[in-house]
Amino acid sequence: MTIFGPVLDVRPLFRQERQELLALLRSLSAADWARETVCPGWDVHDVVGHVLNDYLRRISGSRDGFAGATFVDDETLPGYLARTNDEFVRAARQCSPELMIELLAHLGPELDRLWGTFDLTAPAALDVSWAGPGPSPAWLDIARDYTEFWVHQQQIRDAVGRPGADQPELMHPVLDTFLRALPHALREVARPHGTAVRVVVPGPSGGTWRAVSDDGRWRMAGDETEPAGGTAATITMRPDDLWRLATRGITVAEARRRADAQGDHALIDAVTALLAVVA
């Protein structure tokens, strides 16, 4: 098992998440499509264009082996993604909402077929940088894409005042994926071997996650008994607060204010700075 913990297979969830998204988009008025979202400078139409870009980019890259846009001189990964995402979103403003819905509905099953060809334990097609440097397993790469689609759907729902798509079977894997970034979030805090940090998310979408110090690095722990070094910190966060923290929908300071935390302050600070997007 890698530092990221047990395999998480989210592939059966893409179709349900997409059905929720398409039903939402088909119900929106023209005014809804123009509503501003939490994504700076992007309205609902732009966020949908970005999701469409994600579909196209993944199919082009993983199915067809097409490299796509290249980095410019001295461009960082966040800079590259910001530039290429913005380029596509601007171009997609020429597309009608109806056409974008049709494209998502058409491309979705092809993307589902693509996921089915992956060996979950093989190296990822695209490493998950927010979970740490070095190689990522394919299942984490796929789960990262699932969280992106789900979060963008929630951002659209927030913008148009429509709750939903937060059923436990859809939301729990998002939280689970984001918390696989715990070892990376804790990387600067050295503690004796066996020291554990526990994150508790109450409610039907939640659960309990642990990261354990293991010979100079942190790893996700399973459901084993209390680690030898004891639990040095426990952080309890509501599901909505956790995913918004991980995607910077709320600030670190606001997340810390809302959390219930006890124990080692350095460990608490590291966990509550968790980031699960490229930034």
Side-chain angles (χ1 to χ4, degrees):
M1 185 184 300
T2 69
I3 65 166
F4 307 113
V7 171
L8 172 62
D9 186 2
V10 301
R11 293 176 297 179
L13 301 175
F14 281 96
R15 181 172 180 270
Q16 184 180 350
E17 186 278 331
R18 187 170 59 254
Q19 287 176 332
E20 296 273 356
L21 174 63
L22 293 173
L24 170 67
L25 297 181
R26 289 172 179 137
S27 74
L28 298 183
S29 67
D32 288 332
W33 282 84
R35 295 189 189 281
E36 292 301 313
T37 71
V38 70
C39 302
W42 285 4
D43 61 14
V44 168
H45 188 285
D46 292 334
V47 173
V48 176
H50 173 63
V51 173
L52 177 60
N53 183 30
D54 283 343
Y55 277 43
L56 291 166
R57 183 160 50 191
R58 176 63 81 162
I59 293 171
S60 296
S62 293
R63 188 194 69 181
D64 303 334
F66 183 67
T70 58
F71 283 74
V72 299
D73 291 343
D74 299 324
E75 192 171 38
T76 64
L77 177 59
Y80 168 84
L81 291 174
R83 175 178 60 83
T84 56
N85 286 337
D86 184 65
E87 289 171 351
F88 190 96
V89 164
R90 288 178 180 275
R93 290 171 182 165
Q94 302 300 314
C95 299
S96 68
E98 292 81 4
L99 178 57
M100 289 201 293
I101 291 170
E102 289 173 11
L103 288 170
L104 291 170
H106 174 72
L107 293 171
E110 182 59 30
L111 191 54
D112 295 343
R113 285 191 288 272
L114 176 64
W115 298 136
T117 67
F118 280 65
D119 175 355
L120 295 180
T121 59
L126 297 169
D127 288 330
V128 184
S129 61
W130 49 255
S136 304
W139 64 261
L140 185 58
D141 177 24
I142 297 169
R144 180 257 313 276
D145 265 22
Y146 174 73
T147 67
E148 174 140 353
F149 298 155
W150 185 91
V151 166
H152 286 315
Q153 181 174 168
Q154 298 309 310
Q155 291 168 342
I156 295 168
R157 290 180 178 277
D158 285 348
V160 299
R162 305 273 191 91
D166 54 358
Q167 304 94 307
E169 67 269 21
L170 292 179
M171 190 177 193
H172 175 81
V174 174
L175 306 178
D176 192 1
T177 303
F178 286 163
L179 285 166
R180 304 307 178 96
L182 278 174
H184 189 57
L186 291 159
R187 66 192 181 281
E188 300 295 337
V189 186
R191 290 294 182 270
H193 178 82
T195 301
V197 177
R198 180 172 59 192
V199 177
V200 179
V201 182
S205 296
T208 300
W209 288 262
R210 283 188 178 90
V212 177
S213 179
D214 185 4
D215 291 331
R217 67 174 187 171
W218 293 85
R219 63 173 176 84
M220 296 300 297
D223 295 329
E224 64 254 35
T225 57
E226 185 73 10
T231 299
T234 297
I235 301 94
T236 302
M237 298 186 70
R238 293 176 299 182
D240 200 54
D241 293 339
L242 177 58
W243 77 259
R244 292 181 191 277
L245 164 68
T247 59
R248 290 305 183 262
I250 60 174
T251 65
V252 170
E254 180 63 16
R256 288 172 178 166
R257 187 185 69 78
R258 298 182 187 184
D260 179 12
Q262 297 91 33
D264 186 317
H265 291 292
L267 294 175
I268 292 169
D269 286 350
V271 169
T272 52
L274 181 141
L275 182 66
V277 291
V278 177

